[in-house]
Amino acid sequence: MTEIKTYAHLIGGELRQSEHTLDSVDPATGQVWARVPKGTAQDADDAVAAAKKAFPRWSSMPAAGRAFMLRKVAEVFTANARELAELETRDNGRIINETSKLDLPGMTYLWQNAAGEAAQAVEGKSVIFGPGSMGYTRREPYGVVVGIIPWNSPISTFSAKAAYALAAGNTVVIKPAEQATVSMLRLAELLKDVLPKGVLNIVSGLGEEVGDRLVRHRDVGRVSLTGSTETAKIITRASTDALKPLALELGGKSPNIVFADADLDKAAEGVSTRAIFTGNAGQACLAGSRILVQRPVYDELIAKVKERMAAIRLGDPQSPETTMGPIVSREQYDRVVSYIELGQKEGAELVYGGRHGAELVPDEFAGGYWVEPTLLATSDNSLRVCQEEIFGPVAVVLPFDTYEEAIAIANDSPYGLASGVWTKSLATAQRAAQDIQAGYVWVNTFRRVAPGLPFGGWNDSGYGHDALLENTREKSVILDL
């Protein structure tokens, strides 16, 4: 029998065990494969204290010095890419082709990019008021920055939050999601001696214990969350105990609009395997879970989407032949299945899929959390399956006739994170990019995120970004000479 490893927090440069642990369950099999510390409020306090202690030296280090160390972190990602990818795949079910070929190479670049931008964190501007009088601005780090990261893409979200916060001169405490913590704690082992003690801390545990304590802590200068809108509301209320800026990257119900003049083969891939079903099994905040299709090409587009759905292969997430993995947990599995049933009760047509459970995979994975890629159809955007985030491989297709109708349906949502537009008309693309109420608009592509562009949402999808300057605050100085 393979021994189950127990991981540890990283606090003040030391690995710390906890008296109690949480089971990490492999979602492909439903079996416990690792244990992570169940942190306490004291662990959270100690992590903040360690970060606070490390802050003066780290923030006063020349930007070039911080950049040098961030490049050392990038080297850790490069040297351990395969191991980290395999750990994340086992921890949350995201297929190895995505964690190894997309996430890890991208994270190496992200850390290097943050290092390259570090000097911008100390730049300001000057204003001459007249002879003998001038003003200037300083950019200064917040101090201790807390990053709360989700289970669907821990490594990439950790990097986005930690790299730019550190480059700006902050010290960092990371709280991973309890459903997928192992890759973060393995990173803690790998980075323990790369950065100065206390500059980076990683504390595992439950949100209501560790997360709540971190958000309320008076020595925390900024909090960045990637998670659900419900969690954001809890954090917002908790943060009023000690007012601090928040960056909230939350859920979505992203529209993916296909106009009649689109390249339908490219659009079919873009609204299905690229946007919602494969890779993370639809468990992505930016997933294009509402497919809007102009009526003249509706039937043809749906036929092409169904062909691509039929080619999706469920199975071992570690196999390069697998194109979609499991749902992350039993709780999330039950939620996704309930929405498939709810949609049909509401009157939506089941166009494809709908099956779930052991019948979809080989026997060795029968205990896992498997849901077939599922497509529902309706003309009523008010249904709950059209308005609420499902966070699974379930999409809803809606027909439209005119441009105005498409935009009205797209914006008829409490969310505003991402969107897609498929058209050969530059005029239509530009017009839609202006009219869609979302933080990200993709034209003839989907799920392309570039470090040079801010990623964030509108409305219930949150606000703020994890860019370099977002991790600094501006101070004005006036000199009378």
Side-chain angles (χ1 to χ4, degrees):
M1 182 177 178
T2 304
E3 182 180 356
I4 296 177
K5 179 176 178 177
T6 299
Y7 287 83
H9 309 291
L10 175 63
I11 299 176
E14 304 296 331
L15 298 177
R16 178 192 293 187
Q17 298 284 353
S18 281
E19 180 180 357
H20 302 290
T21 61
L22 299 169
D23 290 339
S24 184
V25 176
D26 182 342
T29 64
Q31 300 299 309
V32 175
W33 73 285
R35 293 190 174 91
V36 301
K38 184 177 183 289
T40 63
Q42 186 61 57
D43 292 321
D45 287 346
D46 291 348
V48 173
K52 183 180 179 181
K53 182 179 180 181
F55 174 70
R57 183 178 178 186
W58 179 254
S59 61
S60 62
M61 183 183 294
R66 292 198 298 271
F68 174 81
M69 291 197 171
L70 297 189
R71 292 190 180 97
K72 290 291 185 183
V73 176
E75 292 173 5
V76 169
F77 275 94
T78 300
N80 300 277
R82 186 68 191 187
E83 178 193 2
L84 291 170
E86 290 175 351
L87 286 173
E88 182 156 310
T89 290
R90 189 163 189 192
D91 215 15
N92 68 0
R94 194 175 181 189
I95 60 173
I96 195 68
N97 277 348
E98 190 160 306
T99 55
S100 65
K101 296 180 181 179
L102 296 179
D103 269 25
L104 269 300
M107 294 313 99
T108 298
Y109 170 78
L110 188 151
W111 282 89
Q112 292 171 338
N113 187 68
E117 292 185 6
Q120 296 180 27
V122 296
E123 293 177 353
K125 62 183 179 181
S126 62
V127 179
I128 305 300
F129 299 125
S133 182
M134 68 169 291
Y136 66 92
T137 63
R138 293 172 50 91
R139 286 201 170 273
E140 298 180 356
Y142 283 100
V144 179
V145 170
V146 165
I148 301 175
I149 63 176
W151 45 258
N152 60 336
S153 52
I155 289 175
S156 61
T157 314
F158 158 80
S159 295
K161 295 190 185 307
Y164 292 106
L166 294 172
N170 302 284
T171 51
V172 172
V173 179
I174 294 292
K175 161 61 177 74
E178 53 266 31
Q179 298 91 338
T181 308
V182 172
S183 61
M184 291 297 92
L185 299 183
R186 176 57 181 146
L187 262 176
E189 297 172 351
L190 294 170
L191 296 176
K192 182 173 77 72
D193 298 320
V194 174
L195 296 169
K197 294 181 183 298
V199 168
L200 173 66
N201 306 271
I202 302 176
V203 186
S204 164
L206 300 177
E208 57 265 31
E209 297 174 6
V210 174
D212 184 73
R213 186 62 159 237
L214 291 173
V215 170
R216 294 179 186 275
H217 206 294
R218 289 195 170 273
D219 288 335
V220 169
R222 182 178 189 263
V223 175
S224 176
L225 163 75
T226 297
S228 70
T229 301
E230 291 72 24
T231 301
K233 291 177 180 178
I234 294 171
I235 286 176
T236 301
R237 288 191 289 268
S239 70
T240 60
D241 286 354
L243 293 175
K244 53 181 65 75
L246 306 176
L248 305 173
E249 194 267 282
L250 311 177
K253 196 70 181 177
S254 300
N256 216 344
I257 308 172
V258 181
F259 288 97
D261 67 340
D263 180 329
L264 293 189
D265 287 321
K266 189 174 182 180
E269 178 185 355
V271 303
S272 59
T273 55
R274 190 173 181 89
I276 177 70
F277 298 122
T278 55
N280 232 347
Q283 298 168 108
C285 55
L286 50 73
S289 53
R290 287 188 298 150
I291 306 171
L292 283 55
V293 185
Q294 201 157 23
R295 210 174 293 273
V297 296
Y298 182 88
D299 291 338
E300 184 179 359
L301 191 281
I302 297 307
K304 290 179 180 293
V305 167
K306 289 169 65 177
E307 288 178 8
R308 285 156 178 79
M309 295 176 72
I312 293 172
R313 296 186 61 176
L314 280 66
D316 183 0
Q318 301 284 354
S319 169
E321 304 301 317
T322 299
T323 55
M324 195 180 96
I327 304 300
V328 70
S329 65
R330 167 61 67 175
E331 178 183 13
Q332 185 62 20
Y333 167 87
D334 290 341
R335 173 184 171 87
V336 173
V337 170
S338 72
Y339 268 105
I340 295 173
E341 296 170 351
L342 172 65
Q344 294 175 81
K345 289 179 182 177
E346 288 183 312
E349 175 192 357
L350 180 64
V351 175
Y352 187 93
R355 296 182 301 161
H356 49 87
E359 64 177 297
L360 300 173
V361 291
D363 290 344
E364 61 185 301
F365 300 107
Y369 313 126
W370 302 96
V371 176
E372 188 177 30
T374 299
L375 184 64
L376 300 169
T378 182
S379 58
D380 184 357
N381 190 54
S382 70
L383 300 187
R384 286 180 60 190
V385 289
C386 298
Q387 292 291 314
E388 299 175 10
E389 186 177 43
I390 299 172
F391 225 63
V394 182
V396 182
V397 61
L398 301 104
F400 69 89
D401 291 301
T402 65
Y403 171 89
E404 290 75 16
E405 185 183 3
I407 298 301
I409 295 171
N411 292 338
D412 179 20
S413 170
Y415 296 103
L417 184 58
S419 58
V421 177
W422 301 86
T423 178
K424 294 177 182 176
S425 167
L426 179 60
T428 300
Q430 292 279 44
R431 185 182 176 193
Q434 174 180 301
D435 292 343
I436 292 173
Q437 297 171 6
Y440 232 87
V441 180
W442 286 289
V443 178
N444 295 328
T445 187
F446 207 89
R447 291 187 73 172
R448 284 184 60 189
V449 179
L453 293 174
F455 182 80
W458 294 14
N459 305 324
D460 282 2
S461 290
Y463 52 83
H465 311 293
D466 286 316
L468 181 80
L469 296 185
E470 290 277 334
N471 279 286
T472 66
R473 49 189 166 188
E474 206 166 22
K475 176 187 289 183
S476 294
V477 180
I478 296 179
L479 300 176
D480 190 346
L481 303 178

